[in-house]
Amino acid sequence: MHRSKLSRSILLALGLVSAGGAIAADAGTAGTSSSGNAAAPTQLDAMLVTGTRASNRTQFETLAPVDVFTKQDIQSVDSTDLKDVLAQLVPSFVVQRLPMADGQVFVRPATLRGLSPDQTLVLVNGRRFHRSALLGNRGAQAADLAQIPTSAIKRIEVLRDGASAQYGSDAIAGVINIILEDSPGTEITAGYSQYAQGDGASRDFSARTGWALGDYGSLALFAESSNSDATSRTRQRPDAIAFQAAHPELDVPNPVQRWGQPELESRRVGFNLKANASDTLELYAFGLYSHSDGVSDFNWRNPDTTTGAYRTTSIFPGWNLRSLYPVGFSPQYGNTQNDLQLVAGLRGEITPKLRWDLSASYGRNAIDYSLDNSINASLGPDSPTSFDLGRLTQTEKNANADFNYEWDVAALSKPVNVAFGAEFRQETYQVRAGDPASYAVGRGAAAGLEANSNGAPGFSASQAGQWSQRSKAAYVDMEVPLGERWSIGAAGRYEDFSSFGSTVDGKLSARFAITPDVALRGTLSTGFRAPTPAQLNTTSTTQGLDTRTLQIFTSGRLSPSDPLAQLLGAKPLTPEESRTASLGLTWRTDLGLSGSVDVYRITLSDRFSQSASFAIPAGTPNPLGYTSVNYFTNDFDTTTTGVDVVGNYLRDLGAGRMTLTLAYNYNQTRVDNGSTSVATNETQRVLFEDRLPEHKGSFTGSWDIGAWSLMARVRYYGKWTDSTGNATGDIYQQFGAMTFLDLAVGYRINEHHSLRVGADNVFDRYPDEATFQASRGLIYSRNAPYDTDGANVYAQYRLTF
């Protein structure tokens, strides 16, 4: 058996391609129509042709919609953060910047088709990538794509369809599969970017080198570093102006706090190894490691109004916080991450028709939090001003056994492809307590001085612990070619979890070729997302600033098993369950025009979020001084409907090649029932229905001529609604549609050296101001689904050999 045939068999076993070649892959098959005759190049046919820089979004023979993005597509976006890259390339993918939002400043939530971040499964080389240790505002615990170095990626495949029956938990919105580079050669890139306002400078460096190990395999090594300065889109807070007027002898900083991107340093390394033991046996392994350090501002504490910290008491005679922070203080929130993913496996064949793949993986994400320029006022003069807040750690271990059998059926002209296998997974979540001073309730609390490190209380000894969950799964996945026009598929998966029991999910799919170049496709599937050990067991404490009262409030998020949470109505968490239906039309022509239209409907039951906030019942002990508490809950159902439209046009223009790509997504989510549909939790209803644009699209044109390459991209975001996040009584504001223009010019000096310069948001456009946040000095909404820092200009130098 030739190695090329073995590689395709391996992809079949992994589920990365169908028996007919679906999802992707062999350059040797590109440019062939379904009838077997040569067709004119289109985006669908030419997606892996060397030098193509356009977005290759669908593959003609797939039973479900798949976007395929090449290395050139990825390099066309000026960012080393994979989330930003996907936000520009995938129309239904949205990522928020979220300045001053605790851990979400550094682990930004990203959504596909408007669903929760943890309802999209992330794979690397076809293997599950571990989750981040961070739980977001509504409890989402998703994989952090920013930990994957963009310079290590060969291509990205985005399956826009429910796939839990094939891959397991989380694959409700779809699957993002990152394929790492394995080709020989070396590439070194250096880049610099800066915003038009003169801040946010970013210095990026990456290097990749690969070797062919004779006839025995390949090895690729990756390294990447990024150093980004902070940005600030801030006005002086009105209460800071008033404080300065009342205290002219003091020099109050302007602004007293900064709203913008954090200061961030990142280092990433990795490898990708393939070694052939024989023509039919291959050892493979890959690993990724990332380390990052970042700092972000928190809300300013006003000495005249922050009575919980600035209070004189007889308990600490002669001590007043004004002696330490006479003009107030803005705590500095620090985040240090270490992320590791290791995978090793062996694959081969029992017979030429029956192939196998055994693998094991280990993933770990650890986040250490710190707080500087703060105080635990209840400790008085004994309080430090810097705190270790503790550590969150997510660890995952996976073992997979996958098999693929090509079953010859006499009545069929092509074999039936039967994939089957089993998986074992263990997730462990750990909370390490912070410094005792970060959560201490000192003797000053009796006089009204606030306990805990001010800004972000540390994880207490009672919150610390370790929790695990195990799951076992078995699946079968079949694709049946019914002649030249029809193909059908069916998949089923059984999975059992130690925390809550078992689930069974299935998927049916079909494709009908109306002509050799026009086809209908559709799927029906059920899916699920299992609650994680962190969601089931942990508690957390956060602080915020009420925009009406300008008072700091402290919110507690309790575990559903906490006695107080149960007293307030909490129930044990259960898996989210989904039903997905999609129908699409895809086409290609001899004129270079290709595309697809896919409509979908996703109904989700027992959807996961935070409950409404509750006041602490009278007589209940409240040592942490909670203003309100909530808990995670499965308490509502939603229906998401939408359409994806993709059009591609390739043609020769003069002495060069022009590529035009249109990508558009309409996505609407409506709450069907549950507590979010009533006034007790109006904020959650607004967040799920209106927090993201229903319309998002892009139009990209590129022209390659000789040594020059030109690119222009127009990005469009529809209207959306934001809320203040107050302790009680949120304020809402609707923001209008926004359009951005990005331009870039590249020049290939010779076969080794090239330059690229460009600008994102060329016209330096900003959204409407967030008037409901003006009391905090914030100019533009921190929850915007796009960058609000204005024009960004960049230059890149690339060396290849």
Side-chain angles (χ1 to χ4, degrees), residues 414-427:
K414 297 179 181 179
V416 175
N417 193 77
V418 183
F420 57 96
E423 179 181 25
F424 173 81
R425 184 166 72 255
Q426 177 176 299
E427 293 188 50

Side-chain angles (χ1 to χ4, degrees), residues 512-713:
F512 176 70
I514 302 172
T515 74
D517 296 312
V518 179
L520 282 171
R521 61 191 179 196
T523 66
L524 293 171
S525 64
T526 63
F528 74 102
R529 192 203 64 81
T532 67
Q535 294 165 339
L536 291 166
N537 297 286
T538 64
T539 64
S540 68
T541 304
T542 59
Q543 291 185 338
L545 183 75
D546 192 292
T547 59
R548 285 194 176 100
T549 66
L550 293 185
Q551 294 299 306
I552 301 296
F553 63 86
T554 303
S555 298
R557 194 266 301 151
L558 308 178
S559 163
S561 60
D562 186 281
L564 176 56
Q566 293 179 344
L567 177 66
L568 297 171
K571 300 290 191 299
L573 293 178
T574 61
E576 299 173 307
E577 297 184 347
S578 69
R579 296 183 302 277
T580 300
S582 68
L583 180 65
L585 176 71
T586 184
W587 67 88
R588 60 186 178 183
T589 73
D590 292 339
L591 300 176
L593 180 65
S594 61
S596 64
V597 177
D598 293 275
V599 296
Y600 57 88
R601 177 184 174 90
I602 306 169
T603 58
L604 271 161
S605 60
D606 296 327
R607 194 164 176 184
F608 187 79
S609 187
Q610 289 181 182
S611 71
S613 295
F614 301 92
I616 301 295
T620 302
N622 188 15
L624 295 179
Y626 287 140
T627 309
S628 60
V629 294
N630 55 46
Y631 50 83
F632 292 148
T633 179
N634 302 96
D635 200 26
F636 60 98
D637 304 334
T638 63
T639 298
T640 298
T641 56
V643 58
D644 290 319
V645 180
V646 174
N648 303 293
Y649 183 51
L650 283 168
R651 65 161 296 169
D652 293 332
L653 181 63
R657 166 64 65 90
M658 180 187 69
T659 305
L660 301 177
T661 300
L662 170 68
Y664 165 77
N665 171 255
Y666 168 77
N667 193 87
Q668 181 190 74
T669 295
R670 290 292 177 260
V671 173
D672 299 326
N673 57 63
S675 66
T676 55
S677 62
V678 295
T680 57
N681 207 350
E682 174 69 6
T683 296
Q684 291 297 313
R685 184 195 66 77
V686 171
L687 289 176
F688 278 95
E689 292 189 349
D690 303 321
R691 70 186 177 90
L692 296 176
E694 291 184 349
H695 302 270
K696 181 175 180 278
S698 66
F699 181 76
T700 304
S702 63
W703 187 32
D704 296 331
I705 178 168
W708 293 92
S709 61
L710 310 175
M711 189 277 290
R713 177 181 292 123

Side-chain angles (χ1 to χ4, degrees), residues 309-359:
Y310 288 88
R311 183 190 298 268
T312 303
T313 76
S314 59
I315 296 176
F316 304 118
W319 181 79
N320 189 308
L321 192 56
R322 289 178 189 266
S323 63
L324 182 63
Y325 297 126
V327 296
F329 63 99
S330 297
Q332 301 291 294
Y333 190 60
N335 176 296
T336 298
Q337 284 199 68
N338 288 283
D339 191 275
L340 175 67
Q341 178 86 1
L342 292 172
V343 176
L346 192 66
R347 50 198 173 197
E349 64 178 36
I350 299 172
T351 72
K353 296 287 187 180
L354 179 60
R355 294 164 295 276
W356 56 271
D357 187 321
L358 303 177
S359 66

Side-chain angles (χ1 to χ4, degrees), residues 185-191 205-209 223 752 754 796-801:
T186 299
E187 182 175 272
I188 298 173
T189 303
F205 176 84
S206 66
R208 178 194 63 82
T209 188
H752 299 299
S754 62
Q796 297 172 341
Y797 163 74
R798 181 168 288 112
L799 170 66
T800 57
F801 55 91

Side-chain angles (χ1 to χ4, degrees), residues 33 111 202 214 225 467 660 674 778:
S33 72
T111 65
S202 179
S225 70
W467 305 271
L660 301 177
L778 176 64

Side-chain angles (χ1 to χ4, degrees), residues 226-370:
S226 179
N227 188 330
S228 300
D229 296 339
T231 64
S232 179
R233 300 296 176 266
T234 317
R235 292 196 182 104
Q236 183 67 302
R237 284 173 45 158
D239 60 334
I241 296 174
F243 178 80
Q244 178 70 86
H247 303 276
E249 74 282 4
L250 299 177
D251 185 13
V252 179
N254 185 6
V256 290
Q257 69 184 70
R258 180 186 56 79
W259 291 94
Q261 299 181 32
E263 180 182 336
L264 184 63
E265 294 185 7
S266 301
R267 305 288 183 269
R268 307 180 186 100
V269 295
F271 73 94
N272 189 20
L273 170 67
K274 298 177 182 179
N276 300 314
S278 69
D279 281 351
T280 59
L281 187 64
E282 182 183 64
L283 169 70
Y284 62 92
F286 65 88
L288 299 171
Y289 174 76
S290 174
H291 172 84
S292 62
D293 290 288
V295 178
S296 177
D297 275 17
F298 270 4
N299 285 299
W300 178 63
R301 273 59 176 168
N302 186 332
D304 285 350
T305 59
T306 311
T307 56
Y310 288 88
R311 183 190 298 268
T312 303
T313 76
S314 59
I315 296 176
F316 304 118
W319 181 79
N320 189 308
L321 192 56
R322 289 178 189 266
S323 63
L324 182 63
Y325 297 126
V327 296
F329 63 99
S330 297
Q332 301 291 294
Y333 190 60
N335 176 296
T336 298
Q337 284 199 68
N338 288 283
D339 191 275
L340 175 67
Q341 178 86 1
L342 292 172
V343 176
L346 192 66
R347 50 198 173 197
E349 64 178 36
I350 299 172
T351 72
K353 296 287 187 180
L354 179 60
R355 294 164 295 276
W356 56 271
D357 187 321
L358 303 177
S359 66
S361 67
Y362 174 85
R364 181 178 183 268
N365 178 259
I367 307 177
D368 290 276
Y369 293 110
S370 62

